[in-house]
Amino acid sequence: MAAQFGRRLRKGAATTAVAAVAVAALSASQAPGVNDHGRQTAADATPSPEASASDGSATGNSPYYTDLPPLKSPNPSPSTGPAPGGTGTTESGIPATVLDAYKKAETTLREAKPGCNLPWQLLAAIGRVESGQARGGRVDADGTTLKPILGPQLDGNGFALIKDTDDGAYDGNSSYDQAVGPMQFIPSTWAWAGRDGNDDGKKDPNNIYDAALAAGHYLCRNDWDLSQQGDLDRAILSYNNSRDYLNLVMRWLEYYRKGTHEVPDGTGTLPDNRSDDGAGASPTPTIPGATNPAGSTPKPGPKPEKPETPQKPGGGGTTTPKPPTTPPGTPSTPPTTPPTPTDTVDHLEDAGTAKLTAMAGDAFGRRISTRAETEAGKAVAKVRVRFTIVGDTDTTFTGGEDVATVATNSSGVAVAPALQAGEKTGTVTVRATVVGRAVPGLDYKATVTERAADALARTGDAALTCAPGGTFANQVEVKATYKGAVADGVAATATLIKSADDPTVTDKGPYFKDADGKTVRTLTDLKTDAKGLLKLPKLYADDTTGTFLLRVTTAGGATLTVELTVAAAETSSPSPSAGPSA
C-alpha cells in the first residue's frame, strides 16, 4: 500500500486482540437492519458468496490501512475531535481538495455511467483504507500529492510478485512494480484505467482528481450496478482481493454515509495500522501463478522512511525514555513547515467580471473571474477556488453541474466555467470560496431574463377569409426569431383588436373558442416550439362582415398584425330565359 507514514504501529498478538474487540464493539453498535436511507448497514450487508475479483487487482493486492472507523457519530462536533494533523485518532473529516475530487468523480460518473450508481462515499472509503486520504490531504492546489505515495515493491517477499511493467515511469522502480498514488494503482492497471480528472491534459496517479476518477471508472466497469450488494462486493474485491479488505471498506463506506465534513488540506488524521504490520497481520494474498524467478535475488526498491516507535494504544507496553535535551519546563517548539499558497490567501477580489445577463436557455456570454490575494493585495497563484451556484435556480455551469473548482493562474485569477441559464428567470448567485482556507466568500449576481423574440412572420401567405357564421379554412401560423436565430420557448399573446390605432379587444367579428366552446378573443400563455413556430387554434366568424385585425406579440417586443376578412359569398346572376323559337 501507499506511503510509509511517520508513525506506524507494529501489531503483535496484543494489537490483534485489541482489533478483535474493536470489531466486536463496532458490530454491536451497528445492529442489523436497514438505515434511514434504505441501505443495509455494514453489519448486516453480508458480502455475496459468489463475489470475487474478476480480472486482477487495481492495487496488486498491496497492503492497506486497517484502522476501523470510530464508534462515535461521524457528525462533526466543535468541542471534540483530534488536533489538526494528529495521528492515531480516526474521525470523519476529509481534506477539502480530496473531498472535492471524490464528489467531482461521482458527478462525472453519474453522467458517463448512470447505471453504475457510484457513491462518492465509496471512493472516500477506499481512499481512507489505501492512503489515509492522500496522507491527510497533503496535496497541492492542483490535487497532486506533495510527495509520491508508494507502496512496498511487489517482489514476492510477503507480497505479490509483479515485475516492472512501466520501466519505473510511475513508481521509480525498474525492477518491480509498486502501487502508486492516493488510490494505490499498480502501473500496469493505471496504463489502461488512468483518467484525467482535473483537465490538465495529464493522467497522473499521484493526482487525487485523476486517481479518484480512475478509481470510479475501475469500479464501474463490467456493467456493475453498485447499488446492488453483489456487484458492490465484486467491485471492491476487484480493487484488492481480500475479504478483510471488503469488510473494512464496507464499514468506512457506511460510516461516511452517515455524515462527514471538510477539513483544511494537510490536516486530516493519519492511520496507524497496516495489514502487513507485525506478526498478527494477515498475509497479503499473492497473484495466482506469481513466484520468484528460480535462483534470482530480487533487487531491492526504494527504502521506506524509518518509522518512529510509538507507544501501544491505551498506554500499554513499555518504552525506554530518552534523556531530555532541554531543561524541564521548557516548551517544545514544533517543527515549522513553509506555508502553502493557500495558507497565504487573505481574501478574494473580483477580477473584472462584466455584467452577467443571459436569456433563459442560453449560455452566458461572460464568465466569472476571481483573484486570490494576500493581505497586502498580492496575487496568489496555484490556489483552488470553488464556484458554487446557490439558491433556488435551474441555472448551472456548462455540463449541468452547480459546483466547479478551478486553480488560479500565475496572475492569481480563477475563471469559472460558462454559466448555462435555466428556465427560471431572476437573479442567480454564484459564490466563490477558497478550497482549504476559511476566508469570506465572494458573491456574484447573474440575471436570467425571459426568452424573447425580435421578429415575427407568417409561415404562409394564403388569404384568411371566412363567410359570416363560418370557420376560417386556414389557421394562422407564425415563426419567431431573435437576431436572426430561431426563438424557441418564447411567450406570446394573440388578440383580436378593434383597429391598428386601437389595440383594445374587439367585441365582434372573428373569435377563438376555449375548452368549453365559449367565445374568446384573447389567447395568453402561448409559446413557440423548438423551431420557433406558433400555430394558433381555429378561428370562427360571427355574422358581422368586414376586415378585422389579429395581433400577435411576444416577449422582447416582436409584433405581427394579420388581416382577417369576413364576407358573404358572392351570388351569380341568373341567365336570361330563352325566347320562343321561330
Side-chain angles (χ1 to χ4, degrees):
M1 157 121 195
Q4 311 295 319
F5 290 108
R7 294 181 58 205
R8 293 194 320 179
L9 182 62
R10 288 292 171 184
K11 299 190 300 182
T15 305
T16 304
V18 170
V21 172
V23 171
L26 182 60
S27 299
S29 69
Q30 296 174 333
V34 178
N35 63 19
D36 56 356
H37 296 289
R39 290 184 291 260
Q40 290 179 303
T41 63
D44 71 308
T46 304
S48 303
E50 72 277 13
S52 63
S54 62
D55 54 346
S57 162
T59 67
N61 296 326
S62 294
Y64 52 90
Y65 287 94
T66 59
D67 296 62
L68 292 166
L71 299 178
K72 66 181 181 180
S73 170
N75 293 320
S77 170
S79 59
T80 61
T87 60
T89 302
T90 53
E91 49 92 28
S92 66
I94 299 178
T97 297
V98 178
L99 181 60
D100 187 61
Y102 295 151
K103 291 185 176 181
K104 184 177 180 181
E106 180 197 58
T107 299
T108 301
L109 267 297
R110 190 185 303 131
E111 180 177 347
K113 297 182 179 180
C116 177
N117 296 306
L118 171 79
W120 66 261
Q121 292 91 340
L122 175 59
L123 298 177
I126 291 176
R128 173 72 193 195
V129 170
E130 292 294 343
S131 69
Q133 311 299 17
R135 288 179 175 157
R138 297 292 293 166
V139 296
D140 64 15
D142 296 320
T144 303
T145 57
L146 300 183
K147 292 182 180 179
I149 298 178
L150 295 174
Q153 66 176 11
L154 300 175
D155 57 7
N157 293 322
F159 310 112
L161 172 61
I162 305 179
K163 290 187 176 182
D164 175 63
T165 61
D166 65 328
D167 198 24
Y170 294 116
D171 55 14
N173 189 339
S174 58
S175 298
Y176 300 95
D177 273 351
Q178 294 174 251
V180 182
M183 302 303 280
Q184 287 292 273
F185 281 93
I186 54 174
S188 58
T189 301
W190 183 260
W192 62 265
R195 294 293 191 278
D196 179 12
N198 62 346
D199 300 320
D200 65 351
K202 298 182 295 183
K203 299 177 182 178
D204 182 2
N206 281 301
N207 181 278
I208 186 59
Y209 287 92
D210 294 358
L213 183 59
H217 277 281
Y218 185 91
L219 294 165
C220 286
R221 72 198 192 286
N222 299 331
D223 292 326
W224 283 329
D225 178 359
L226 303 186
S227 66
Q228 302 298 316
Q229 189 65 47
D231 282 355
L232 178 60
D233 294 344
R234 295 181 186 91
I236 296 173
L237 284 171
S238 77
Y239 214 88
N240 191 313
N241 193 14
S242 161
R243 285 283 168 174
D244 290 339
Y245 181 87
L246 168 60
N247 293 334
L248 183 61
V249 169
M250 281 298 302
R251 290 197 179 280
W252 278 108
L253 168 60
E254 293 302 326
Y255 182 74
Y256 285 133
R257 275 174 166 167
K258 293 176 183 177
T260 187
H261 63 286
E262 176 182 293
V263 298
D265 290 342
T267 65
T269 56
L270 308 180
D272 281 332
N273 310 310
R274 288 204 333 174
S275 59
D276 63 329
D277 278 347
S282 301
T284 302
T286 58
I287 294 179
T291 58
N292 281 321
S296 65
T297 301
K299 180 180 178 181
K303 294 182 179 180
E305 299 172 3
K306 185 178 180 180
E308 299 174 5
T309 304
Q311 292 183 348
K312 294 182 179 180
T318 60
T319 58
T320 303
K322 295 181 180 179
T325 58
T326 57
T330 302
S332 60
T333 303
T336 59
T337 57
T340 66
T342 301
D343 294 332
T344 67
V345 177
D346 177 74
H347 60 274
L348 295 174
E349 287 286 343
D350 177 40
T353 302
K355 184 177 181 181
L356 299 169
T357 302
M359 192 184 300
D362 290 350
F364 282 75
R366 305 279 185 172
R367 296 190 182 190
I368 295 172
S369 297
T370 300
R371 183 171 53 253
E373 296 183 353
T374 65
E375 185 176 5
K378 183 179 178 181
V380 185
K382 296 184 178 180
V383 172
R384 298 195 72 82
V385 176
R386 179 180 296 141
F387 297 96
T388 305
I389 300 173
V390 298
D392 182 18
T393 179
D394 55 355
T395 292
T396 64
F397 291 112
T398 302
E401 300 179 10
D402 56 10
V403 177
T405 306
V406 182
T408 56
N409 60 20
S410 58
S411 299
V413 175
V415 180
L419 286 167
Q420 177 69 37
E423 294 303 318
K424 293 183 179 180
T425 60
T427 301
V428 177
T429 299
V430 180
R431 183 164 299 149
T433 56
V434 179
V435 176
R437 179 77 169 164
V439 299
L442 186 61
D443 285 354
Y444 293 85
K445 301 296 182 183
T447 302
V448 179
T449 61
E450 62 181 333
R451 293 173 181 256
D454 57 13
L456 283 172
R458 280 191 64 194
T459 58
D461 56 5
L464 299 168
T465 61
C466 179
T471 304
F472 284 81
N474 298 309
Q475 290 177 246
V476 178
E477 184 181 64
V478 299
K479 182 175 183 178
T481 57
Y482 183 78
K483 295 183 179 180
V486 167
D488 60 314
V490 177
T493 300
T495 306
L496 291 153
I497 61 176
K498 290 183 177 180
S499 68
D501 298 326
D502 186 358
T504 57
V505 182
T506 185
D507 57 357
K508 57 185 177 181
Y511 61 91
F512 300 104
K513 290 182 180 180
D514 64 11
D516 297 324
K518 296 179 179 179
T519 298
V520 292
R521 290 189 168 90
T522 298
L523 297 178
T524 58
D525 299 326
L526 303 174
K527 277 192 176 181
T528 59
D529 65 14
K531 297 180 179 180
L533 300 176
L534 174 62
K535 191 171 187 178
L536 299 181
K538 286 184 178 181
L539 278 163
Y540 303 88
D542 61 15
D543 293 333
T544 308
T545 59
T547 300
F548 303 90
L549 299 179
L550 169 66
R551 180 161 291 173
V552 182
T553 60
T554 68
T559 301
L560 177 67
T561 302
V562 181
E563 286 192 356
L564 307 172
T565 302
V566 179
E570 294 184 1
T571 57
S572 58
S573 301
S575 59
S577 57
S581 58

